[in-house]
Amino acid sequence: MNIYFTASDTEDAQLAKKKLVHRYGHCPIDQAEVIVALGGDGFMLQTMHDFMASNLPIYGMNKGTVGFLLNNYEEEGLIERLQAVELTELHPLNMTAVDMTGERFEALAINEVSLLRESRQTAKIQIAIDGQVKVEELTCDGVLVATPAGSTAYNYSAHGPILPVNAGVLALTPISAFRPRRWRGAILPREARIEFRILEAEKRPVSAVADATEIRNVATVIIEEKRDIIIRLLFDPEHGLEKRILDEQFMP
C-alpha cells in the first residue's frame, strides 16, 4: 500500500513518523493511496485543509492530546488497520464574506464558521435563512454555524447541539446572546443558505472566522455547505466518528 506520512512539528510526532516511514515506506503525494497524519486534532484539521484537493482518504493517529478525529497510535499492524477501516465522508462549509470596504473573501471550514465581536461593544447581527429574515437583530458576542463534525467543538462549548454525522443538518448557535434572550439557536437543513448582516458595523465591528481563516470588519457573511467537495476520513471500526459523536453526548 502506498502511504504518504505527514506529522506535526512536535518531537513525539516526528519520531513516530520516522519509525513508520522506516517500517512501511513513504511515497510522494501524487503516488499515494492514503495519507497517514500524526498529531493532534488541530494538525488533523490542518491536514484536511492542506490535502482537500487531493481527494485522498486520511487516516489520523493521535500524537496530540484529545484526538477526537484520530485513531490510537500503534506502530504495529498499520497495513491491516488500513484494510479494515470505516469510511466517513464530510463536506466543508463555504464562507463568502464582504468587508466594510466592499472587498470579497472566500474560505472553507470543516468545523465551523464563527462571527465574533472585535471590541467591548456587543455585536448586532441580522440572520436570514434562504433569503428570509429569521432574526431581525441578535445582540450577542457572536454566532456560529457548525457542521456535524465540528458540533462537538466550539459549538458544544457555546451550548449548541451535538449533531450526528449523517443527520444532514447544520447547527446555528448564538454565542452569549443578550437579545433575544430566550433564543438558543436552530438546527438547519444542510441545503440552507445562511446570511448574516452586521448592524452598526462601524460602531460594533465583527470578524468572521472559517476554522483558522479570519476576516476582520465584515459587513455580510454567507455560509453554504460545499457539496462538491468530499473529505474522506478513515477510522478503526470500533472507534468510528459516528460512535464518537454519540458517546460525546453522554460524557460526564
Side-chain angles (χ1 to χ4, degrees), residues 97-114:
V98 177
D99 70 12
M100 291 167 58
T101 69
E103 189 171 358
R104 186 174 180 272
F105 303 87
E106 287 199 27
L108 296 173
I110 296 164
N111 274 357
E112 75 276 315
V113 174
S114 306

Side-chain angles (χ1 to χ4, degrees), residues 205-246:
V206 169
S207 63
V209 185
D211 285 347
T213 301
E214 180 178 12
I215 309 300
R216 296 182 69 81
N217 302 320
V218 295
T220 62
V221 177
I222 296 172
I223 300 168
E224 297 176 283
E225 189 178 65
K226 192 74 170 170
R227 296 288 296 166
D228 59 336
I229 296 179
I230 300 173
I231 300 164
R232 297 188 291 159
L233 301 185
L234 305 178
F235 294 93
D236 294 329
E238 66 274 20
H239 298 294
L241 186 59
E242 190 76 47
K243 182 180 184 301
R244 295 177 191 212
I245 289 177
L246 175 64

Side-chain angles (χ1 to χ4, degrees), residues 18-241:
K18 184 177 180 179
K19 290 180 178 178
L20 291 170
V21 167
H22 177 74
R23 186 164 191 154
Y24 299 102
H26 176 75
C27 71
I29 190 66
D30 60 350
Q31 298 175 22
E33 299 172 78
V34 62
I35 296 168
V36 172
L38 305 162
D41 284 316
F43 181 74
M44 185 63 171
L45 193 65
Q46 177 188 325
T47 301
M48 286 188 271
H49 277 282
D50 290 346
F51 296 98
M52 198 177 291
S54 74
N55 200 35
L56 289 171
I58 303 172
Y59 181 85
M61 287 201 285
N62 190 19
K63 278 296 176 179
T65 50
V66 178
F68 187 78
L69 294 172
L70 299 124
N71 301 284
N72 293 331
Y73 175 79
E74 293 177 22
E75 188 178 336
E76 304 285 337
L78 178 59
I79 300 300
E80 291 76 13
R81 291 174 76 184
L82 289 173
Q83 290 172 339
V85 290
E86 176 181 295
L87 173 66
T88 295
E89 293 185 344
L90 307 177
H91 301 281
L93 300 174
N94 186 74
M95 176 186 79
T96 303
V98 177
D99 70 12
M100 291 167 58
T101 69
E103 189 171 358
R104 186 174 180 272
F105 303 87
E106 287 199 27
L108 296 173
I110 296 164
N111 274 357
E112 75 276 315
V113 174
S114 306
L115 276 67
L116 305 167
R117 67 182 175 118
E118 295 179 9
S119 72
R120 61 183 178 82
Q121 296 275 6
T122 56
K124 290 190 175 183
I125 302 171
Q126 184 184 85
I127 304 173
I129 309 297
D130 296 329
Q132 183 178 359
V133 174
K134 294 295 187 181
V135 180
E136 286 285 355
E137 182 178 290
L138 175 65
T139 304
C140 58
D141 281 353
V143 62
L144 63 85
V145 177
T147 65
S151 67
T152 61
Y154 190 12
N155 170 72
Y156 192 43
S157 296
H159 306 291
I162 292 179
L163 306 174
V165 171
N166 297 315
V169 293
L170 304 172
L172 172 63
T173 302
I175 303 168
S176 300
F178 180 65
R179 290 285 189 275
R181 192 177 293 275
R182 295 183 181 179
W183 189 64
R184 292 293 179 264
I187 296 175
L188 305 174
R190 69 191 323 168
E191 299 83 8
R193 183 178 188 269
I194 307 156
E195 183 172 359
F196 301 104
R197 185 165 71 88
I198 311 307
L199 309 177
E200 303 177 31
E202 291 189 5
K203 179 182 178 182
R204 304 170 185 273
V206 169
S207 63
V209 185
D211 285 347
T213 301
E214 180 178 12
I215 309 300
R216 296 182 69 81
N217 302 320
V218 295
T220 62
V221 177
I222 296 172
I223 300 168
E224 297 176 283
E225 189 178 65
K226 192 74 170 170
R227 296 288 296 166
D228 59 336
I229 296 179
I230 300 173
I231 300 164
R232 297 188 291 159
L233 301 185
L234 305 178
F235 294 93
D236 294 329
E238 66 274 20
H239 298 294
L241 186 59

Side-chain angles (χ1 to χ4, degrees), residues 5-21 38-39 43 63 73:
F5 289 97
T6 183
S8 68
D9 293 333
T10 67
E11 183 178 349
D12 194 26
Q14 288 295 320
L15 179 59
K17 177 184 175 183
K18 184 177 180 179
K19 290 180 178 178
L20 291 170
V21 167
L38 305 162
F43 181 74
K63 278 296 176 179
Y73 175 79

